[in-house]
Amino acid sequence: VLGVAGAVLLANARDLPTITAGVLVLAAGLAGVGPVLDARAIETLGADRIRYGQVRAIGSVAFVIVAWGVGLLIDRRDTGALFLVYLPALLVTAVVSATLVRRPTTRAVGIARGALSLIRAPGMRLFMFGTFLVWTALVAVNAFYSIRVTALGGEAHTVGLAWAVGAAVEVPVMWFYPRIAARFGTGRPLVVGAVLFAVRAAIAAVATDPLLLVAISPIEGIAFGLCYVGGVTFVAERAPAGLAATAQGVFAAVAGLAAIVGSAAGGVVAGALDIAGLFAVSAAVGAIAA
């Protein structure tokens, strides 16, 4: 509901202070939704949690349809038209979320204590640092990807197509993730995903045609499927008993911190080197993360 309020502010914003307020309220409202839904999905699956990717794949299917559809809608109207889709979607999410009743078996643990328990688990500190680098590089690229597509001559529907194609590729990766993890474990796919993010950024750095940026979108889709589903599963496997939500919250917090750093640093680097230079730097950071 708080997210809806932020979206209403943005829909009616005509100056920078109102836009800033809308972004802050929207972010505050949505920050905890993803981690809690991920934790509930893992909790519901129980011993079958490796199938989380199949649950998450449904979201990617919706993303494919909406990303392309909103692009076409914006081309026919204006950028404000996206709120005709976004606001109703948030309201439906609020209604659905209200049905997720807290289970009485869930034990309450202090946030700091639960987070420390997770971080102390074997390998988690290195994993979280690698995650931070991966998402920092990814956010820096994604923050300017749509801008780059339009700067090279692409229209709004081309931007939507770039994101829709990537998300379409995520679906089979997420759906078949249980098989991938059964064969290679949860660690190796994470490394492969980080490498693919770096490859996509490197190609985007030298691209001069918006259609090439669309053509490499499947690389991002594969990488996202491996890193996101792999990350949630990796954390779930190592979370202390009863700390599923806290564990996913820590994972999301690391990604959130990376979003802050990636967006801010990305703007600085793009201003100094141009967007192509930013993509090249992000490719190097992605390689280090891998």
Side-chain angles (χ1 to χ4, degrees), residues 144-186:
F144 289 88
Y145 206 79
S146 298
I147 297 173
R148 185 62 174 168
V149 171
T150 54
L152 293 178
E155 297 181 350
H157 72 269
T158 308
V159 174
L161 182 61
W163 293 109
V165 169
V169 176
E170 289 173 19
V171 176
V173 174
M174 292 178 175
W175 188 262
F176 291 107
Y177 182 82
R179 296 186 184 181
I180 296 172
R183 182 174 181 129
F184 301 105
T186 54

Side-chain angles (χ1 to χ4, degrees), residues 73-128:
L73 181 63
I74 289 174
D75 275 340
R76 295 182 179 181
R77 300 188 61 165
D78 54 36
T79 53
L82 68 89
F83 291 103
L84 297 177
V85 177
Y86 193 54
L87 277 167
L90 280 180
L91 285 169
V92 171
T93 303
V95 172
V96 173
S97 298
T99 68
L100 299 177
V101 181
R102 182 183 175 90
R103 292 192 174 186
T105 54
T106 302
R107 66 189 179 99
V109 179
I111 294 176
R113 181 182 172 187
L116 285 174
S117 297
L118 178 69
I119 295 299
R120 287 170 180 164
M124 286 306 300
R125 286 188 290 273
L126 187 59
F127 165 74
M128 289 298 182

Side-chain angles (χ1 to χ4, degrees), residues 174-224:
M174 292 178 175
W175 188 262
F176 291 107
Y177 182 82
R179 296 186 184 181
I180 296 172
R183 182 174 181 129
F184 301 105
T186 54
R188 291 180 183 177
L190 285 169
V191 177
V192 172
V195 170
L196 290 177
F197 275 139
V199 169
R200 177 240 196 173
I203 297 175
V206 298
T208 57
D209 189 315
L211 293 181
L212 179 56
L213 295 179
V214 174
I216 63 175
S217 294
I219 300 176
E220 192 267 350
I222 297 171
F224 185 83

Side-chain angles (χ1 to χ4, degrees), residues 57-75:
I58 298 171
S60 294
V61 171
F63 186 94
V64 171
I65 298 169
V66 175
W68 197 5
V70 170
L72 293 172
L73 181 63
I74 289 174
D75 275 340

